[in-house]
Amino acid sequence: MPVLRLPLALAASLVAALILTGCASAPGKDPQKLLEADAQYLNRQCKLLGTVNGRSIFGGLSEDAKIQGAVKDAREKAAAMGATHILMLKAGISGVAGLGEASARAYRCPAAS
């Protein structure tokens, strides 16, 4: 039986792709359709589902890319909870490793009539 030998770079790429695929969460709804609103409206009209936290270590050397990745992660988690609206609390870089982190509140609001 012949042994399949992969170049080291190709093997490393395949392992990285498998790891990244395992870390991705499949949102229940489209996170791009989440609306942002002010806290006063959300607290009066909507049900708080919980706080979500997003993280991102990727984005090369760009802090903006890490922050955007963390916000995207938080939005995906809110969508998976069934949120219709989101209120971003904070987003930035933290720690020695420079992780992108974001925190938001997820809300479900009644449909506009």
Side-chain angles (χ1 to χ4, degrees):
M1 178 186 261
V3 175
L4 179 62
R5 297 183 190 269
L6 295 174
L8 185 57
L10 179 59
S13 296
L14 289 173
V15 169
L18 289 173
I19 290 171
L20 291 175
T21 302
C23 293
S25 59
K29 296 184 178 187
D30 186 358
Q32 297 303 318
K33 292 186 179 180
L34 288 178
L35 301 174
E36 293 188 38
D38 65 88
Q40 196 171 36
Y41 167 79
L42 293 171
N43 289 326
R44 264 188 289 117
Q45 302 294 326
C46 308
K47 178 183 178 187
L48 175 63
L49 300 177
T51 300
V52 292
N53 296 301
R55 289 188 152 182
S56 176
I57 59 172
F58 300 103
L61 299 177
S62 168
E63 288 185 354
D64 285 341
K66 290 178 185 178
I67 292 169
Q68 289 174 359
V71 168
K72 180 182 177 201
D73 187 38
R75 291 180 71 87
E76 288 174 352
K77 289 175 180 176
M81 294 171 72
T84 58
H85 289 70
I86 191 166
L87 176 66
M88 292 305 300
L89 302 173
K90 66 178 180 174
I93 299 294
S94 70
V96 177
L99 296 175
E101 293 188 337
S103 181
R105 287 192 186 121
Y107 292 86
R108 183 176 300 130
C109 302
S113 46

